[in-house]
């Protein structure tokens, strides 16, 4: 590595220096550290952190000046990497380390330049290149150490988080499962069931759909790990899974509207980074009730998917009626039987589904089906004749709609020939 020396700062033709008072390296190091902006770590400043900064600046000054006597027992770059790894372990900002290195280089340059009368531009260019080389080496050591530790922590933390999430969903999480996961356990969670749609590029024949899907999943996992606070736990595949968000207040104490808004914003962010539609439902539960809450959340999600609900968060209250209609029992059998007379009439079933699912006029429904309004009316009359229920009245349409929903969510064939 190219170094600059206080005894002969420039090689070749030396510049002319005027008399200046030499600055002791210890004094220079102390002044650099004292001048750093440490606002970002003001609440965490301790003796160890300051010692790290002093050692980092000292290493940087040494690399520029070679004022230390004797051979170093440990290479300077190794010591810098070690400091950076320690900061990554404590989740301290790497920007401060970079600023310390730059401040050290800047202070050394200012010290040297005070007594120099520049007489040769070639010398300035030559030694300027050496200065840049030193700065590049020091900055690379900081980045290399910090990034290596982050990668190791990410792998370890991901395994620990998955283990903890599995334990919570199985109802057997305990303190031993939190090892390696800094966030630890919360008393209550928002249990979110998510269905992740396909990215547009997954259908591109020129690309490997599995690779595109894995990249989509990694973007979601990265957003959950770095962009969401408090940090959630998750068990996800490329198609969806479960996310456990630590609740900010005990279950039942938080404002329901605020909680729903918070989860809805999270789902929108995940859909944005994934570049794919995301549907979700959630249930708030105490830690011990997570397994049952997860089952319910996924039942609601399956219901939303079967009903063709679009992307976004689907709240329990929006699916409560449909959920109740899907419960097995005599009432469910009775509701499903309402449409038995239409089993051999797929055209009438499609017409009924379009009519009950549209908030518009008969003209709009007819355009959707590609038929005339007169044909639509004749089909509605035929439906009434077969079922005994008039789709144009509020009471009868509710029964017809309930039967449609019950059949959809239970998987009962609608187009089976009678």
């Amino acid at each position: 590595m190219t170094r600059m020396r206080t005894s002969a700062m420039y090689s070749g033709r030396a510049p002319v220096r005027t008399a200046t008072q030499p600055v002791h390296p210890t004094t220079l190091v102390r002044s650099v550290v004292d001048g750093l902006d440490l606002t970002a770590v003001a609440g965490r400043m301790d003796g160890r952190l300051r010692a790290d900064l002093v050692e980092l600046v000292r290493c940087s000054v040494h690399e520029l000046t070679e004022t230390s006597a004797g051979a170093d027992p440990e290479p300077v770059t190794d010591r810098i990497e070690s400091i950076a790894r320690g900061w990554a372990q404590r989740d301290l900002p790497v920007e401060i380390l970079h600023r310390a290195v730059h401040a050290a280089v800047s202070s050394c340059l200012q010290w040297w330049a005070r007594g120099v009368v520049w007489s040769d531009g070639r010398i300035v260019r030559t030694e300027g290149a050496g200065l840049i080389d030193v700065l590049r080496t020091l900055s690379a050591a900081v980045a290399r150490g910090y990034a290596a530790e982050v990668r190791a922590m990410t792998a370890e933390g991901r395994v620990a988080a998955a283990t903890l999430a599995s334990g919570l969903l199985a109802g057997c999480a305990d303190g031993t499962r939190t090892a390696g996961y800094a966030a630890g356990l919360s008393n209550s969670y928002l249990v979110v069931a998510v269905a992740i749609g396909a990215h547009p590029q997954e259908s591109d024949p020129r690309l490997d759909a599995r690779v595109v899907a894995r990249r989509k999943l990694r973007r979601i996992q990265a957003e959950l790990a770095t962009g969401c606070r408090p940090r959630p736990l998750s068990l996800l595949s490329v198609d969806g899974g479960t996310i456990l968000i630590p609740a900010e207040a005990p279950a039942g104490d938080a404002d329901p509207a605020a909680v729903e808004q918070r989860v809805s914003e999270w789902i929108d962010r995940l859909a944005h980074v994934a570049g794919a539609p995301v549907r979700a439902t959630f249930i708030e539960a105490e830690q011990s009730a997570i397994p049952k809450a997860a089952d319910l959340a996924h039942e609601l999600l399956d219901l939303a998917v079967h009903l063709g609900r679009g992307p976004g968060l689907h709240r329990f209250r929006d699916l409560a009626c449909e959920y109740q209609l899907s419960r097995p029992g005599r009432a469910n059998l009775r509701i499903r039987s309402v449409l038995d007379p239409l089993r051999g009439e797929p055209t009438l079933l499609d017409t009924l589904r379009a009519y009950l699912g549209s908030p518009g006029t008969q003209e709009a429904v007819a355009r959707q089906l590609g038929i005339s309004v007169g044909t639509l009316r004749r089909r509605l009359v035929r439906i009434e004749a077969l079922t005994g229920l008039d789709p144009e009245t509020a009471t009868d349409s509710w029964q017809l709609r309930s039967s449609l929903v019950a059949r959809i969510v239970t998987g009962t064939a609608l187009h089976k020939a009678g």
Side-chain angles (χ1 to χ4, degrees):
M1 182 194 311
T2 302
R3 288 189 176 95
M4 295 181 171
R5 293 170 288 279
T6 53
S7 58
M9 181 180 174
Y10 303 101
S11 59
R13 180 182 174 186
V16 179
R17 293 185 61 91
T18 59
T20 58
Q21 182 66 31
V23 179
H24 194 278
T26 301
T27 304
L28 182 63
V29 168
R30 186 167 56 248
S31 66
V32 170
V33 174
D34 290 342
L36 292 175
D37 181 3
L38 301 177
T39 305
V41 292
R44 305 176 63 180
M45 194 66 183
D46 55 21
R48 176 184 169 187
L49 190 150
R50 181 176 176 82
D52 285 344
L53 292 175
V54 169
E55 177 65 8
L56 176 63
V57 173
R58 191 196 68 78
C59 289
S60 301
V61 171
H62 165 77
E63 200 64 5
L64 286 160
T65 64
E66 291 188 348
T67 54
S68 297
D72 288 330
E74 181 183 7
V76 167
T77 53
D78 288 352
R79 293 206 298 275
I80 292 177
E81 287 183 31
S82 177
I83 292 170
R85 285 195 295 270
W87 277 53
Q89 291 171 1
R90 298 177 65 184
D91 196 25
L92 294 167
V94 69
E95 293 86 355
I96 293 180
L97 299 182
H98 282 298
R99 286 202 295 266
V101 169
H102 283 251
V105 174
S106 176
S107 294
C108 286
L109 181 60
Q110 291 173 18
W111 171 39
W112 285 319
R114 279 201 300 266
V116 173
V117 178
W118 305 100
S119 57
D120 193 330
R122 178 179 56 80
I123 296 174
V124 176
R125 287 192 298 272
T126 301
E127 296 302 337
L131 177 65
I132 293 173
D133 182 55
V134 172
L135 183 57
R136 181 188 299 115
T137 300
L138 297 173
S139 297
V142 171
R144 191 163 52 245
Y146 200 93
E149 188 62 30
V150 167
R151 282 195 297 269
M153 291 170 60
T154 299
E156 179 184 351
R158 187 172 296 169
V159 172
T163 302
L164 180 55
S166 298
L168 288 169
L169 290 170
C172 57
D174 54 48
T176 62
R177 293 180 177 270
T178 64
Y181 184 72
L185 288 171
S186 175
N187 292 326
S188 58
Y189 286 85
L190 307 177
V191 184
V192 186
V194 296
I196 306 171
H199 189 280
Q201 291 183 344
E202 290 183 50
S203 58
D204 190 333
R206 299 169 298 177
L207 302 174
D208 188 329
R210 293 172 298 179
V211 173
V212 175
R214 287 196 297 268
R215 289 173 178 170
K216 170 188 69 179
L217 176 59
R218 284 198 294 268
R219 290 194 298 272
I220 291 177
Q221 291 172 331
E223 177 66 18
L224 290 173
T226 62
C228 300
R229 291 292 183 271
R231 184 176 299 179
L233 298 163
S234 65
L235 283 178
L236 297 173
S237 70
V238 295
D239 300 315
T242 307
I243 301 173
L244 302 177
I245 305 173
E248 295 180 346
D253 292 349
D255 178 11
V259 172
E260 289 179 356
Q261 180 65 25
R262 175 186 169 206
V263 177
S264 180
E265 291 174 354
W266 275 44
I267 298 304
D268 291 343
R269 285 164 57 190
L270 295 183
H272 176 72
V273 299
V278 176
R279 283 179 283 198
T281 57
F282 83 97
I283 301 294
E284 188 173 2
E286 297 290 343
Q287 186 186 127
S288 59
I290 285 178
K292 291 183 178 179
D295 290 341
L296 176 56
H298 279 279
E299 285 186 42
L300 292 173
L301 180 61
D302 291 342
L303 184 59
V305 171
H306 284 135
L307 293 174
R309 300 291 176 87
L313 178 66
H314 300 284
R315 298 159 177 82
F316 192 7
R317 66 171 182 270
D318 299 329
L319 296 166
C321 292
E322 291 86 346
Y323 175 77
Q324 196 60 40
L325 289 170
S326 70
R327 298 301 85 196
R330 294 178 61 186
N332 180 273
L333 293 173
R334 173 66 186 86
I335 291 172
R336 284 189 284 128
S337 69
V338 168
L339 292 180
D340 284 348
L342 301 185
R343 279 187 173 181
E345 301 283 349
T347 300
L348 294 182
L349 280 168
D350 291 340
T351 300
L352 180 63
R353 187 182 292 109
Y355 182 77
L356 296 178
S358 174
T361 62
Q362 288 189 0
E363 288 78 5
V365 176
R367 284 196 301 272
Q368 177 185 341
L369 294 172
I371 59 177
S372 67
V373 175
T375 300
L376 173 62
R377 288 172 178 166
R378 286 192 293 273
R379 291 182 183 180
L380 295 178
V381 170
R382 177 64 175 161
I383 291 171
E384 181 181 7
L386 292 174
T387 63
L389 299 170
D390 182 2
E392 298 188 73
T393 65
T395 302
D396 289 355
S397 67
W398 166 248
Q399 292 190 55
L400 292 168
R401 188 191 306 272
S402 299
S403 185
L404 271 175
V405 170
R407 284 175 171 269
I408 290 172
V409 298
T410 56
T412 303
L414 292 175
H415 292 171
K416 181 179 178 181

